[in-house]
């Protein structure tokens, strides 16, 4: 028997064991319910016997009627039948549990056998690629498609990382806007004495953050375009750049500042929604590609298996 046949038969036995285990686990639940049912019936019959033996009111009535012995014999027989049924149910459950244990023992080698099997398939696949046949050409096409898909998955990961970094940058600038809102309060309380230095520091920090956001947007745009071919992510921060300049103009009143702040926050929230939307599309794309890869891998294995079966048949005929 060839290595391929040995591994194939072993895998088939393991798969039969898996199917058997599922059936046994389902059967186990019904057997456990049966044991509980028979135990409840046995407890009832034993209680009836104990009532008669202990001369309860019911036993006293039968004693007066002269039927106590007959009634007790009847209840004891019923208790014996209930006990036998309970023991049989326990034995059936025990047999099921032992069979489940044996199946699980057989399945312990599943990972090892599957690894050996797919390692063997992979080694035969390399041999098959050197053969000029229709099947080998299909295998090569699948390998190329898998390589391409894995490259796209890598690009998706990079795009998601860029998207998360961009969201984090937007959150940082939101904190700067909250600090700017406090400047408006200082302006009212301190008559503008502290605003000049604070304002210029806010401008510097905000502009640095905006430059970082511009860089992150460019990176994210490139990464997403590579994967989805999207040319417009609706991430225009020109209005934020205009807003940052307002810190340099001290004639802005508190109400005007707050109004501009609210507009900037709304704009950032809108852009974060656009980022979340594109991240969702990326996630869907990744799921789609992974599903496609699973199908391609199965098809590739089936092609190699078909080749090995043909070789086996040829060898058998030649022998």
């Amino acid at each position: 028997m060839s290595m391929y046949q040995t591994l194939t038969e072993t895998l088939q036995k393991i798969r039969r064991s898996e199917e058997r285990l599922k059936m046994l686990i389902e059967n186990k639940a019904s057997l456990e319910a049966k044991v509980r049912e028979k135990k409840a019936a046995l407890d009832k019959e034993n209680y009836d016997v104990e009532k008669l033996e202990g001369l309860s009111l019911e036993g006293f009535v039968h004693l007066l009627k002269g039927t106590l012995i007959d009634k007790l014999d009847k209840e004891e027989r019923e208790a014996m039948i209930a006990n036998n049924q309970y023991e049989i149910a326990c034995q059936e459950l025990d047999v099921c549990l032992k069979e489940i244990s044996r199946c699980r023992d057989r399945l312990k080698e599943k990972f090892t056998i599957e690894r050996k099997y797919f390692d063997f398939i992979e080694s035969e696949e390399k041999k098959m690629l050197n053969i000029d046949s229709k099947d080998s050409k299909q295998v090569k096409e699948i390998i190329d498609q898998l390589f391409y898909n894995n490259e796209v998955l890598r690009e998706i990961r990079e795009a998601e990382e860029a998207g998360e970094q961009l969201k984090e940058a937007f959150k940082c600038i939101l904190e700067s806007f909250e600090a700017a809102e406090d400047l408006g309060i200082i302006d009212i309380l301190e008559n503008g004495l502290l605003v000049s230095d604070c304002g210029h520091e806010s401008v510097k920090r905000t502009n640095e953050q905006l430059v970082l956001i511009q860089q992150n947007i460019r990176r994210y745009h490139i990464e997403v375009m590579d994967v989805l071919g999207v040319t417009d992510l609706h991430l225009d921060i020109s209005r934020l750049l205009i807003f940052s300049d307002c810190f340099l103009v001290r004639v802005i009143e508190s109400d005007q500042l707050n109004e501009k702040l609210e507009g900037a926050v709304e704009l950032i929230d809108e852009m974060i929604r656009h980022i979340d939307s594109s991240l969702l599309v990326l996630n869907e794309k990744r799921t789609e590609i992974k599903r496609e890869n699973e199908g391609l891998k199965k098809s590739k294995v089936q092609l190699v298996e078909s080749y090995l079966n043909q070789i086996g048949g040829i060898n058998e005929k030649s022998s």
Side-chain angles (χ1 to χ4, degrees), residues 25-62:
I25 289 174
E26 291 175 359
N27 194 33
K28 171 176 167 283
S30 62
L31 288 173
E32 286 173 336
K34 183 178 179 181
V35 167
R36 290 192 295 270
E37 176 190 338
K38 297 303 179 184
K39 182 64 169 64
L42 175 59
D43 290 343
K44 178 182 178 302
E45 296 299 338
N46 284 335
Y47 177 69
D48 290 342
V49 172
E50 289 171 3
K51 281 198 304 181
L52 292 173
E53 289 178 338
L55 285 180
S56 62
L57 178 59
E58 182 180 353
F60 184 70
V61 170
H62 283 290

Side-chain angles (χ1 to χ4, degrees), residues 176-305:
S176 294
F177 289 158
E178 290 176 359
E181 190 173 8
D182 293 338
L183 285 178
I185 297 173
I186 294 173
D187 193 18
I188 295 172
L189 297 178
E190 301 295 338
N191 197 24
L193 296 178
L194 299 179
V195 170
S196 180
D197 291 339
C198 293
H200 284 284
E201 182 61 31
S202 294
V203 169
K204 181 181 177 182
R205 184 171 62 253
T206 303
N207 282 336
E208 288 173 352
Q209 291 170 338
L210 286 168
V211 169
L212 179 61
I213 283 177
Q214 283 181 307
Q215 293 172 351
N216 284 333
I217 285 176
R218 281 194 293 270
R219 182 192 167 201
Y220 187 55
H221 186 273
I222 291 171
E223 298 291 355
V224 173
M225 188 167 60
D226 286 344
V227 177
L228 303 177
V230 177
T231 57
D232 186 8
L233 294 176
H234 306 286
L235 299 177
D236 179 13
I237 64 167
S238 58
R239 282 179 288 169
L240 289 180
L241 294 174
I242 293 171
F243 167 76
S244 70
D245 293 339
C246 78
F247 283 107
L248 296 173
V249 184
R250 290 313 314 140
V251 296
I252 293 177
E253 298 294 337
S254 177
D255 289 344
Q256 292 177 313
L257 179 60
N258 288 336
E259 182 181 345
K260 290 181 177 293
L261 280 169
E262 289 174 3
V265 170
E266 288 177 4
L267 176 61
I268 290 176
D269 287 340
E270 178 186 345
M271 287 190 284
I272 288 177
R273 284 194 296 272
H274 286 309
I275 296 171
D276 285 335
S277 177
S278 57
L279 286 173
L280 180 61
V281 175
L282 287 170
N283 183 59
E284 292 172 350
K285 183 72 173 178
R286 179 178 58 244
T287 302
E288 176 187 334
I289 292 174
K290 285 186 174 181
R291 190 181 299 115
E292 182 185 356
N293 278 358
E294 289 301 315
L296 289 170
K297 288 175 184 177
K298 288 180 181 177
S299 297
K300 183 160 65 76
V301 169
Q302 288 170 356
L303 285 168
V304 178
E305 288 173 337

Side-chain angles (χ1 to χ4, degrees), residues 106-235:
R106 286 194 290 270
L107 291 176
K108 285 179 181 178
E109 61 176 348
K110 176 187 175 183
F111 177 79
T112 303
I113 297 298
E114 284 183 338
R115 186 67 269 161
K116 286 182 180 179
Y117 180 79
F118 287 113
D119 285 345
F120 178 78
I121 291 292
E122 188 175 345
S123 66
E124 293 300 313
E125 174 191 312
K126 292 176 182 177
K127 297 176 186 177
M128 184 180 175
L129 292 175
N130 296 322
I131 300 172
D132 186 15
S133 68
K134 181 181 177 181
D135 287 345
S136 65
K137 288 178 181 177
Q138 286 182 296
V139 169
K140 289 175 185 176
E141 289 173 0
I142 290 174
I143 291 173
D144 290 342
Q145 186 63 46
L146 284 169
F147 178 81
Y148 172 77
N149 285 356
N150 288 332
E151 283 298 300
V152 175
L153 288 174
R154 180 184 59 77
E155 291 175 353
I156 287 174
R157 286 194 299 271
E158 292 175 354
E160 287 174 330
E161 290 173 4
E164 292 299 334
Q165 290 175 2
L166 182 55
K167 285 176 64 177
E168 189 62 31
F170 275 128
K171 289 176 183 177
C172 288
I173 205 167
L174 278 175
E175 293 176 0
S176 294
F177 289 158
E178 290 176 359
E181 190 173 8
D182 293 338
L183 285 178
I185 297 173
I186 294 173
D187 193 18
I188 295 172
L189 297 178
E190 301 295 338
N191 197 24
L193 296 178
L194 299 179
V195 170
S196 180
D197 291 339
C198 293
H200 284 284
E201 182 61 31
S202 294
V203 169
K204 181 181 177 182
R205 184 171 62 253
T206 303
N207 282 336
E208 288 173 352
Q209 291 170 338
L210 286 168
V211 169
L212 179 61
I213 283 177
Q214 283 181 307
Q215 293 172 351
N216 284 333
I217 285 176
R218 281 194 293 270
R219 182 192 167 201
Y220 187 55
H221 186 273
I222 291 171
E223 298 291 355
V224 173
M225 188 167 60
D226 286 344
V227 177
L228 303 177
V230 177
T231 57
D232 186 8
L233 294 176
H234 306 286
L235 299 177

